[in-house]
Amino acid sequence: MNTKLENYTAGIKRILITKEEIDIAIQNAGKEIDAIYDGRPILLVSILKGAFVFMADLCRAVTVPCEIGFMCAKSYYSGTSSSGIVKITMDLDQDISQYHVIIVEDIIDTGRTLNDIVKMLKTRNPLSLRVITLLDKPSRRVVNFTADISLFTIPDHFVIGYGLDCGEQYRNLPYIAEYDNGKDKTSC
């Protein structure tokens, strides 16, 4: 094995959720969204960067008409813990007042980011607003926030893969893994 690949895979402690489990959960979520909206168009809003992989698969799993939009909100500036400050760095282009909006998030940890985004988007008067998250980590919640649809609930581990990163690495893994920071406690 080449050294770069060995270093890359050395960050994987263990796989928590397989690609197959993710695929099944997304297909089920697509059916649930189809049932909720029953042909009414939706706007899927991906919170970048982490949710882009999840949204790509989710939008292919729904059959109701859908458009997509993107927002970027940061609360993890470095390391593995939240800074506690949520900053919107890219906002939606769409006027959402004529849309049923579904915020697509990769992981809900403290809940601060989604709580702030939901409050902001509600002031724009969407027809409806829901949140779907790939991963929910309720043990870390510091605000009262619950997603409408959560595909997986996980323990308090720093996770990578399927769009989630550590220092911009590992987003391309097709599964969710626990990150192993045993070698370097200062990085993620």
Side-chain angles (χ1 to χ4, degrees):
M1 187 181 288
N2 79 40
T3 306
K4 286 185 181 182
L5 184 57
E6 284 176 5
N7 290 341
Y8 192 67
T9 57
I12 300 169
K13 187 171 188 176
R14 65 186 167 122
I15 295 173
L16 297 175
I17 305 168
T18 67
K19 178 187 182 325
E20 293 76 20
E21 290 170 315
I22 293 168
D23 291 344
I24 291 167
I26 289 173
Q27 290 306 311
N28 291 334
K31 290 175 186 170
E32 185 174 348
I33 290 168
D34 286 345
I36 292 168
Y37 293 99
D38 191 29
R40 293 176 291 163
I42 60 174
L43 173 65
L44 297 175
V45 176
S46 174
I47 307 301
L48 296 173
K49 295 179 187 174
F52 79 100
V53 175
F54 177 34
M55 185 162 89
D57 289 342
L58 182 64
C59 80
R60 288 189 297 258
V62 299
T63 61
V64 294
C66 76
E67 294 181 33
I68 61 170
F70 296 93
M71 294 181 76
C72 190
K74 291 190 175 192
S75 65
Y76 285 86
Y77 294 104
S78 64
T80 59
S81 62
S82 175
S83 67
I85 300 166
V86 177
K87 181 179 177 185
I88 305 297
T89 58
M90 184 176 88
D91 207 343
L92 289 170
D93 293 332
Q94 295 94 332
D95 170 4
I96 66 169
S97 65
Q98 300 304 309
Y99 289 96
H100 294 280
V101 175
I102 302 174
I103 299 171
V104 180
E105 181 62 300
D106 56 352
I107 186 168
I108 302 175
D109 189 4
T110 65
R112 287 184 185 117
T113 302
L114 261 293
N115 192 52
D116 288 358
I117 290 171
V118 166
K119 283 180 185 176
M120 181 180 70
L121 292 183
K122 280 184 177 179
T123 67
R124 298 177 188 178
N125 302 312
L127 297 174
S128 67
L129 181 65
R130 286 189 165 85
V131 174
I132 183 171
T133 187
L134 176 66
L135 303 173
D136 189 10
K137 199 187 296 184
S139 65
R140 299 261 306 147
R141 202 77 82 243
V142 297
V143 297
N144 185 17
F145 187 87
T146 304
D148 298 285
I149 302 172
S150 294
L151 275 61
F152 300 97
T153 300
I154 63 169
D156 187 14
H157 299 303
F158 190 83
V159 292
I160 53 174
Y162 200 74
L164 291 104
D165 75 305
C166 175
E168 295 299 323
Q169 298 291 310
Y170 304 103
R171 291 187 194 278
N172 60 320
L173 296 174
Y175 48 78
I176 302 295
E178 181 180 357
Y179 182 72
D180 182 5
N181 65 351
K183 294 182 169 111
D184 183 3
K185 298 286 187 189
T186 61
S187 69
C188 1

